Amino acid sequence: MIDIAIIGAGPAGMSAAIYARRAGLSVTVFEGEMCGGQMAYTPEVENYPGFAHISGAELSFSMRHQMVSLGAELVEVPVTAVTAKGGYSVTAGGEVYTAKALIVANGAKRRKLGIPGEDAYGGRGVSYCAVCDGMFFKGKTVAVVGGGNTALEDALYLAGICEKVYLIHRRDTFRAQQLFVDKVQAAENIEILYSTVPTEVRGEARVNALCVQGADGERVLDVAAVFVAVGLSPENEMFAGLVELADGYIRAGDDTHTSRAGVFAAGDTRTKTLRQIITAAADGAMAATEAEKYVRTV
Ligand code: NAP
């Protein structure tokens, strides 16, 4: 019987593991993709105290190293089922692990646009990760869709690699931090299309155009890739029978307590107002501390 099972190794899950190990508890962390989660795909992190500039991948690696060095067991396969029976049973890679407490820190996934051609050209020019795929389009013209921090950061990153970047946003003001807005507006090779929505991804073997609808009518942009950065959506179907959800997010306050004793939710997966690396890491610390109190009572 493990003391704490942690689902997800983003900043929330890794912070929880670090705190729980330092409290002397046994910890198993499950991660089905890459340690770091969304953080790993962030080109540059400039708002995590102590690091003026660090890549998301480097910060992810550093947290992973710290967690594993402290003795957290890392199981790098996706979790397929979770049940509450004599503790909490987590199924991953055909094995069943049982823990006294569970911390859900599975983050959220990139949302899709839902337009024709998006799925058909997935991996053939439609991408949800500029850091992962940007280099494939070196010297080419690409489009980024979205108006939040991710879209603007992606546009700036791609502007350093590509000949030209169209930044397509559905409103006439951005949601992103002003610092990013100032930078994209100043970039010579970023053309911003405000009040414009994408309507179709076109191509042959690979993407070669994006159709957009703006106030002045329809345009067909010649692009080699479309980077979609239109926000995140939770993936909590697996936990629906276990804890209360709200709009797909796990209902939990800043103390990370869910509707079920012994289950805690940390980071982007829970109902909260500010989704940042630092708030996810803070949640992890809180969840581990609350889980420790719970484990000591069962
Ligand atoms: P976000 O802040 O939710 O922004 C999503 C953007 O996509 C919005 O501009 C939204 O438009 C637009 N959008 C949504 N659905 C769309 C659709 N169907 N078609 C066209 N546009 C659509 O998401 P995010 O940028 O991925 O960021 C997620 C969270 O991570 C946020 O809390 C963000 O602050 C945080 N983050 C922080 C940093 C940082 O601090 N450096 C970096 C990255 C992410 P509207 O504006 O009209 O709603």
Side-chain angles (χ1 to χ4, degrees):
M1 172 81 81
I2 307 157
D3 287 325
I4 306 181
I6 300 174
I7 300 179
M14 293 197 280
S15 159
I18 290 165
Y19 272 73
R21 282 302 300 147
R22 286 170 57 86
L25 302 176
S26 58
V27 174
T28 300
V29 182
F30 298 88
E31 175 54 60
E33 293 177 19
M34 197 196 305
C35 282
Q38 294 295 319
M39 170 172 67
Y41 304 129
T42 304
E44 207 164 1
V45 177
E46 295 180 336
N47 55 3
Y48 195 81
F51 300 92
H53 303 278
I54 186 167
S55 76
E58 205 181 334
L59 189 54
S60 302
F61 183 77
S62 176
M63 287 187 193
R64 182 190 194 278
H65 178 72
Q66 189 176 358
M67 165 181 85
V68 172
S69 303
L70 283 167
E73 187 195 359
L74 180 60
V75 176
E76 292 181 280
V77 288
V79 169
T80 48
V82 177
T83 52
K85 213 178 183 184
Y88 293 98
S89 295
V90 176
T91 307
E95 302 271 331
V96 179
Y97 303 77
T98 305
K100 294 176 188 164
L102 183 67
I103 296 176
V104 182
N106 58 336
K109 295 280 178 289
R110 288 266 187 121
R111 193 185 285 146
K112 288 188 168 187
L113 280 169
I115 59 171
E118 182 180 20
D119 286 341
Y121 289 102
R124 293 190 294 141
V126 173
S127 169
Y128 301 85
C129 179
V131 175
C132 319
D133 301 329
M135 281 311 270
F136 295 124
F137 305 99
K138 193 173 179 194
K140 303 213 165 134
T141 297
V142 301
V144 174
V145 185
N149 284 326
T150 304
L152 272 66
E153 273 188 320
D154 285 356
L156 289 165
Y157 173 74
L158 292 165
I161 299 170
C162 301
E163 186 184 33
K164 177 173 178 165
V165 178
Y166 289 105
L167 175 59
I168 296 150
H169 180 38
R170 65 183 177 182
R171 289 187 297 124
D172 61 0
T173 51
F174 286 116
R175 176 183 293 271
Q177 291 164 22
Q178 193 57 41
L179 184 104
F180 295 134
V181 176
D182 293 343
K183 283 187 182 175
V184 294
Q185 286 174 341
E188 281 180 3
N189 61 342
I190 299 180
E191 181 178 338
I192 304 170
L193 304 183
Y194 293 102
S195 306
T196 299
V197 290
T199 53
E200 184 184 355
V201 180
R202 287 187 188 163
E204 288 178 4
R206 305 187 58 80
V207 168
N208 60 25
L210 178 68
C211 305
V212 297
Q213 178 73 48
D216 304 331
E218 197 180 48
R219 275 181 74 182
V220 180
L221 309 173
D222 292 334
V223 294
V226 179
F227 290 88
V228 181
V230 294
L232 303 171
S233 61
E235 284 202 327
N236 286 326
E237 295 75 15
M238 197 191 298
F239 307 107
L242 198 67
V243 292
E244 203 179 307
L245 305 183
D247 290 331
Y249 291 95
I250 297 176
R251 193 184 288 283
D254 288 342
D255 63 5
T256 72
H257 283 250
T258 68
S259 57
R260 182 182 285 267
V263 182
F264 305 86
D268 285 1
T269 194
R270 77 168 177 93
T271 47
K272 63 191 306 190
T273 51
L274 185 62
R275 293 192 167 85
Q276 297 273 302
I277 298 170
I278 192 160
T279 58
D283 273 11
M286 180 62 87
T289 306
E290 293 302 294
E292 182 196 356
K293 286 186 208 159
Y294 176 82
V295 164
R296 304 276 183 222
T297 64
V298 291

